[in-house]
Every structure is written in structure tokens, then in C-alpha cells.
Amino acid sequence: MSSNKSLARAWLLAATLVGAAAASAAAGAAEDLSKLQVTPQRGQNADQARRDRFECHNWAVGQTGQAPAAAPSSDERSEEEHAKRAERLARIVSGAVIGASIGSIAGGVHDNPAQGALAGAAVGGMVGGATAAAHEKKDKQQEEGPSEYLRALTACLEGRGYTVALPPSGETVASR
């Protein structure tokens, strides 16, 4: 009976570790084209600047086939965050289950499968959490950098005599 209690404690600890790891969330930022600083260098007035920006927008869309998407609504952001959390939790749980299985087998060799399962679940959960973090980091790195649309828009505006300052690199383009 002591073995069953130890196994139950192992699973309880693994579940606690999984819950704690799943509670952490990374939020993706969206680049906002309204923060794009366009400064006239040839004395263009506000009306001319609006027309140039509109024409450059149309040209950039035509060149790239991309248009800046509207900023995601709070519902869409929460759905994305929920999906990221679910994926992270799945990786942590998978790691914990695999680790517990391997740990109980290894612990069985030493006549203590429950302790092996506990140690395996803890290590597996940490490995699952680490793979989730690495996956999120890879996704974030792929999202970084200005879009093709933003590069085309900037080139057009600079060609028409404007200085264009891009938003800080921690932000990404989503609306205009």
C-alpha cells in the first residue's frame, strides 16, 4: 500500500509542476503602423503627405501581395494565448508522462518504482517545459523583422522624399 501512496504523491507532484509551468505565458506583440514616423524632407504639406502615404500603401500592396492585417481583437489575442498555453501544457504533460514511465521502470529495477516515477515525472515535465520555451522562442524569432509590405512602403515613401523611422524591433506590424 505504501507503494500506491508514493505513486499517488508522485502524480500529484507532477500535476503541480505541470500546473505551475502552464501558468507562465508569453504574449506576442503586434507592430502598429500608426507608430511609423514619416517625416517630409522636401516641404510636403499634410495633404500631400496623406496622398503619398495612400499611394505608397497601394503600391506596396501591389508589389508584395500583402496588406497589413488589422490588429487582433482582445478576443483573438486571448484565443491565441489560450492556444499557446494549451500547446505548452501538452508538451509539459507529455514530458511528465514519458518521464514518469521511464522513471518507474528504472525505479522498478531498484525496487522503488514510485520514487522513480516521481523523479521521472519531474525531469520529464521540466524537459517538456524547456522544449515548449524553445519552440516559442523559435516562433518569435521567425516573426521578428519588418514585413515585405513594410519594406516596400518604406522604400516608396523614401523615394518620394520622406524619412521613415520604423517602430522599435520589439514590435511587429499588424494595423495601419
Side-chain angles (χ1 to χ4, degrees):
M1 197 52 118
S2 172
S3 177
N4 286 341
K5 285 184 180 178
S6 296
L7 189 56
R9 278 187 287 198
W11 283 110
L12 180 61
L13 179 60
T16 303
L17 289 171
V18 167
S24 63
E31 197 172 61
D32 185 0
L33 286 181
S34 66
K35 294 180 182 176
L36 193 65
Q37 296 175 349
V38 180
T39 308
Q41 296 298 307
R42 298 183 189 150
Q44 299 96 322
N45 62 29
D47 286 337
Q48 182 65 43
R50 275 192 294 277
R51 277 193 305 273
D52 286 342
R53 189 158 179 163
F54 176 75
E55 290 171 6
C56 285
H57 161 75
N58 289 338
W59 180 83
V61 169
Q63 292 296 306
T64 64
Q66 299 174 351
S73 68
S74 61
D75 289 341
E76 292 174 55
R77 281 192 300 267
S78 65
E79 287 176 17
E80 287 176 17
E81 290 171 9
H82 180 70
K84 286 180 183 179
R85 283 189 199 117
E87 181 180 348
R88 187 178 315 117
L89 180 61
R91 287 177 183 269
I92 293 169
V93 168
S94 296
V97 168
I98 292 168
S101 301
I102 293 170
S104 67
I105 292 169
V109 171
H110 299 291
D111 295 328
N112 197 345
Q115 220 170 18
L118 176 61
V123 171
M126 287 188 283
V127 169
T131 61
H135 183 73
E136 289 172 7
K137 183 177 179 181
K138 180 181 170 188
D139 286 348
K140 185 177 179 183
Q141 286 173 343
Q142 289 174 350
E143 293 173 1
E144 288 180 359
S147 65
E148 293 293 320
Y149 166 83
L150 184 57
R151 285 194 285 267
L153 178 67
T154 300
C156 179
L157 289 168
E158 287 176 349
R160 291 181 179 223
Y162 296 88
T163 300
V164 180
L166 298 174
S169 63
E171 301 177 15
T172 57
V173 175
S175 65
R176 67 175 198 110

